[in-house]
Amino acid sequence: MSDAATVDFLAALPLFEGFDRAGLERLAGVVRRRRVRADQVLWRQGEGAREMFFVLDGAVAEILGLPGGRTREVGRASAGETLGEVELLDGVGHPTEARAASDATLLSLGRLGFTDLLAGQEASVFAFRRHLAELFTTRLRAELGLVSEALGGEIAGPTGDDAVHTFSELEERPAPDSAYVRRMASFHGVDPLALWGFLTSGRYVYCPQGRVLLAEGAPPPAYYLTINGAVEKVLVRGHRRVRVGLAGPGRAFGGEALIDGLPSPLTAVARERSLLLVIPAEIFERLFHGEDAVSRVFLEVVLRDLASVVREALRPYARVLLAT
Amino acid sequence: MCRILAYLGDPLPVHRLLYETDNGLVHQSHSPRMMNKFLNLAGFGMKAWDPASLHPQEPFSYQATTLPSYDRNLRSISSKLGSTCLVAHVRGVTYSSESAVAETNLHPFQFAGAGVALAHNGHLRQFGRMRYALIDHVRPELAQRIEGTTDSEWIYALVLSQLDDPFGRPPAAELAEATLAALRVLRQLRAEHGIDTSSPVNLCLSTGEALVATRVSFDYGWYPPDDEMLETDLPFVSLWYAIGGEYVSRDGDWQMTAADPVRSLLIASEPLTEDLSGWLEVPEYSMLTAELTPAGLAFGTRDLDV
């Protein structure tokens, strides 16, 4: 494959929509072409992440190992698709094994090259971060789809009528101590001034235990960030209810549907009394599409949280599979 | 912060669980993978039930405040023990002069004559404010056996106090109900004393034939502004399990083999291997119960609402 062909391939990927030709040429100089045979293991579940792949041709299966040596294919990356980007972002081990489903040609991007793509203040970097968030959201919906399929049955539980519609339904509270917020793992290493800009973009509300904040299938009114307490994210099918995540301090919910414009893929209920930062949809839109320091921190927080959520959603799937 | 390990099932060399995997319990004392900055250097303890031993209903007990990595006695003894049930614990405490490293504070706790042992990963915040209110809920004959300074030993006495016979060997269902009752007492007393800081209570209790484990925090996610535990508690008070036939090494990879019915259960604060594929995370607000029966291992999970 010539350099020009590599650039053309990269240019066609949604992830790099914001890149100009020069940027793509620089990226083409960093990626390595790799040919793999069917059944070749690219990485094992739990291994530290060193690279991500873009599939030029062929396909790579993502395989979840289960207790007792069983396995289940949970995803498949075909030509023009990617795998491994979540692990490069959060630096934790691979949540699944990657195994070539056929002979395949891949482009490999190492950790350093990936980190470079996230650095800088150019419009292309902001666009790359947004596209990553969209990709993570797509992955999350696919994983929740697997859980839902394994559960079987119709969507049940709270409906949009049960969920919070306007924030005046919740008691407004003052902003928390900034030093406390900065110590949350989600905010480590980010510009404190810009962080404060993001954290003062919305309102702080107290939510009593048991309050439904989001209903699966309904549009979310806001992006929520838990400051204190915990909000559980659940799927309810018939009489079965599975928790697919728990948003404790520094963790968010509601963002997926604001990112892709689809209804909420899950229901969110306050498991504990909770103090929440509420960022209404219109402010989320402004922060998500902005290109200043505050938006940069906001995108960083959104990406970190989504990466954790994507990783964690496979855990209830494994439990449901084992139970069925 | 601490790390817990529990096993129930076919006889298994204790050495395997403590030393042989790439993230065994002894490794977790100095290099835990799922803790932020705390190490578990304040002592090791275990209860191991061996059906071939004298008095098989009584576990072999070992506790030492020395670092388990350097403990030749532990290494030697564990290589000779084949156990159907194990509860082991490495203790981690905050780096403070207020913390007491002493043999009387080592888990698992088991009062003389009692059939239940308990290990705890977590801490009841501001416990000093509610400690002596617990006396109304703990049987006098148990309260007088408390020797150490930990909240965990009080929790142990409180659980035993909920049993019909605190010195008996209750089945898993009764032990689970007693644990739930104890957690409700703790929640009530915390509320009465105005204690509302996040307090994880991951417990592991066993009689040698029945096993109960909880993953739960009171007031999850609530911290005072200057509280350093915010960065430490939540993701790191984890609990995982592996269930199946036998925990063995195949081509160098440790895994629980498939079995139907299942015969063995491993529970650990963090998986014993870097490879997580054989492990399932116990969700927050959950309880696991298990019991050895002639038909295999009876296993159950339930949501905890305490």
Side-chain angles (χ1 to χ4, degrees):
Chain A
M1 190 180 204
S2 67
D3 285 353
T6 302
V7 170
D8 289 343
F9 171 80
L10 294 171
L13 298 178
L15 262 182
F16 303 121
E17 267 174 13
F19 282 60
D20 59 17
R21 192 78 187 172
L24 291 169
E25 283 170 357
R26 277 196 299 278
L27 181 59
V30 173
V31 295
R32 287 184 301 110
R33 189 168 178 274
R34 190 167 155 192
R35 184 84 189 142
V36 294
R37 310 290 297 174
D39 273 338
Q40 186 173 335
V41 174
L42 305 179
W43 58 64
R44 298 181 64 189
Q45 189 169 335
E47 258 182 28
R50 293 185 299 272
E51 59 190 340
M52 65 172 289
F53 290 116
F54 305 94
V55 182
L56 279 165
D57 60 57
V60 178
E62 295 169 82
I63 297 166
L64 179 66
L66 297 166
R70 285 168 285 180
T71 58
R72 182 66 68 104
E73 184 173 322
V74 295
R76 183 171 284 227
S78 302
E81 295 181 318
T82 64
L83 68 160
E85 71 284 343
V86 170
E87 302 93 292
L88 274 194
L89 186 94
D90 69 11
V92 188
H94 293 291
T96 57
E97 176 182 285
R99 182 184 290 266
S102 65
D103 291 353
T105 313
L106 313 169
L107 290 179
S108 157
L109 176 66
R111 178 180 294 282
L112 200 58
F114 182 79
T115 306
D116 282 348
L117 292 178
L118 291 165
Q121 303 289 343
E122 300 84 8
S124 60
V125 174
F126 281 94
F128 179 67
R129 286 170 175 260
R130 281 192 287 272
H131 287 310
L132 265 185
E134 289 159 4
L135 184 57
F136 289 3
T137 300
T138 303
R139 286 204 187 285
L140 176 63
R141 285 194 185 272
E143 290 177 358
L144 294 176
L146 290 171
V147 180
S148 176
E149 190 180 303
L151 281 171
E154 297 296 312
I155 296 177
T159 66
D161 290 341
D162 302 315
V164 168
H165 290 97
T166 62
F167 310 118
S168 56
E169 296 171 46
L170 300 169
E171 180 190 335
E172 191 154 358
R173 290 285 175 93
D177 185 285
S178 63
Y180 167 79
V181 175
R182 278 205 308 274
R183 278 212 315 283
M184 292 177 183
S186 314
F187 306 136
H188 282 177
V190 301
D191 173 2
L193 270 182
L195 173 63
W196 201 238
F198 148 45
L199 292 171
T200 51
S201 299
R203 298 166 53 187
Y204 290 88
V205 296
Y206 176 83
C207 179
Q209 186 180 33
R211 189 75 167 94
V212 177
L213 291 152
L214 295 175
E216 183 180 354
Y223 177 80
Y224 295 89
L225 188 84
T226 304
I227 303 299
N228 289 113
V231 174
E232 62 179 357
K233 303 187 247 188
V234 298
L235 296 182
V236 186
R237 296 291 180 274
H239 297 298
R240 300 186 71 185
R241 181 181 189 275
V242 169
R243 190 187 315 129
V244 291
L246 188 70
R251 300 295 301 275
F253 55 99
E256 308 87 8
L258 293 175
I259 289 169
D260 65 12
L262 297 172
S264 175
L266 45 78
T267 294
V269 184
R271 179 73 193 219
E272 304 272 351
R273 64 197 162 89
S274 298
L275 177 66
L276 306 171
L277 168 60
V278 182
I279 297 188
E282 61 277 12
I283 298 178
F284 178 92
E285 191 74 6
R286 178 166 57 76
L287 290 171
F288 190 74
H289 291 284
E291 293 182 355
D292 58 12
V294 175
S295 285
R296 182 181 172 79
V297 166
F298 181 68
L299 283 168
E300 177 75 26
V301 171
V302 167
L303 278 175
R304 286 183 189 181
D305 188 69
L306 274 174
S308 300
V309 171
V310 168
R311 178 177 294 283
E312 289 161 6
L314 285 173
R315 295 176 185 168
Y317 178 57
R319 284 196 300 273
V320 171
L321 280 182
L322 206 69
T324 52
Chain B
M1 298 298 100
C2 309
R3 301 278 90 170
I4 290 176
L5 168 67
Y7 173 78
L8 187 65
D10 290 349
L12 188 72
V14 170
H15 190 271
R16 182 175 301 176
L17 303 177
L18 298 186
Y19 292 101
E20 292 177 28
T21 63
D22 61 48
N23 193 37
L25 188 66
V26 169
H27 184 271
Q28 291 176 33
S29 68
H30 58 77
S31 303
R33 290 208 168 101
M34 295 185 174
M35 295 177 78
N36 190 8
K37 55 185 179 180
F38 278 106
L39 304 179
N40 303 296
L41 306 174
F44 170 90
M46 71 172 176
K47 302 282 177 185
W49 284 262
D50 176 358
S53 66
L54 284 175
H55 311 298
Q57 292 195 337
E58 296 171 13
F60 175 87
S61 294
Y62 185 87
Q63 290 176 317
T65 53
T66 50
L67 297 178
S69 302
Y70 304 119
D71 189 338
R72 294 181 187 183
N73 287 333
L74 176 61
R75 194 176 288 272
S76 168
I77 289 163
S78 66
S79 67
K80 294 294 288 182
L81 273 174
S83 180
T84 51
C85 183
L86 172 77
V87 179
H89 183 272
V90 284
R91 185 167 179 247
V93 295
T94 53
Y95 304 138
S96 155
S97 59
E98 291 172 13
S99 298
V101 177
E103 202 168 310
T104 49
N105 286 340
L106 294 181
H107 309 222
F109 295 98
Q110 187 175 24
F111 292 151
V116 175
L118 173 145
H120 174 207
N121 174 20
H123 48 167
L124 291 173
R125 305 298 295 277
Q126 302 169 65
F127 179 66
R129 285 172 55 195
M130 61 182 280
R131 182 191 307 259
Y132 295 110
L134 273 169
I135 205 76
D136 295 336
H137 302 269
V138 173
R139 298 184 192 208
E141 68 270 30
L142 299 172
Q144 67 189 14
R145 291 168 193 244
I146 294 174
E147 294 181 319
T149 58
T150 65
D151 53 353
S152 311
E153 195 175 10
W154 280 88
I155 295 173
Y156 173 58
L158 182 62
V159 174
L160 289 190
S161 297
Q162 312 306 311
L163 294 167
D164 289 340
D165 175 7
F167 295 96
R169 301 180 78 220
E174 187 184 344
L175 189 55
E177 288 308 314
T179 305
L180 274 174
L183 291 172
R184 289 192 186 106
V185 169
L186 291 172
R187 182 176 284 286
Q188 176 200 327
L189 290 180
R190 282 167 56 86
E192 287 174 10
H193 289 77
I195 302 170
D196 58 5
T197 302
S198 195
S199 297
V201 192
N202 288 8
L203 300 175
C204 186
L205 304 102
S206 185
T207 62
E209 291 184 343
L211 198 149
V212 171
T214 63
R215 179 178 179 183
V216 66
S217 290
F218 294 118
D219 297 292
Y220 185 103
W222 281 90
Y223 296 91
D226 57 349
D227 196 309
E228 66 174 21
M229 299 311 287
L230 165 67
E231 297 171 270
T232 306
D233 261 355
L234 296 178
F236 311 108
V237 191
S238 51
L239 199 64
W240 296 73
Y241 70 101
I243 189 165
E246 188 183 6
Y247 195 61
V248 294
S249 172
R250 284 190 176 155
D251 303 325
D253 294 331
W254 288 97
Q255 58 181 262
M256 188 71 87
T257 60
D260 187 14
V262 294
R263 304 192 310 274
S264 300
L265 170 70
L266 260 174
I267 298 173
S269 299
E270 54 185 85
L272 301 185
T273 53
E274 184 180 88
D275 177 2
L276 306 183
S277 61
W279 292 84
L280 296 171
E281 187 180 25
V282 180
E284 188 71 35
Y285 308 107
S286 296
M287 173 184 273
L288 305 183
T289 58
E291 192 147 34
L292 290 175
T293 73
L297 187 84
F299 174 73
T301 62
R302 63 196 277 188
D303 193 62
L304 275 186
D305 187 14
V306 291

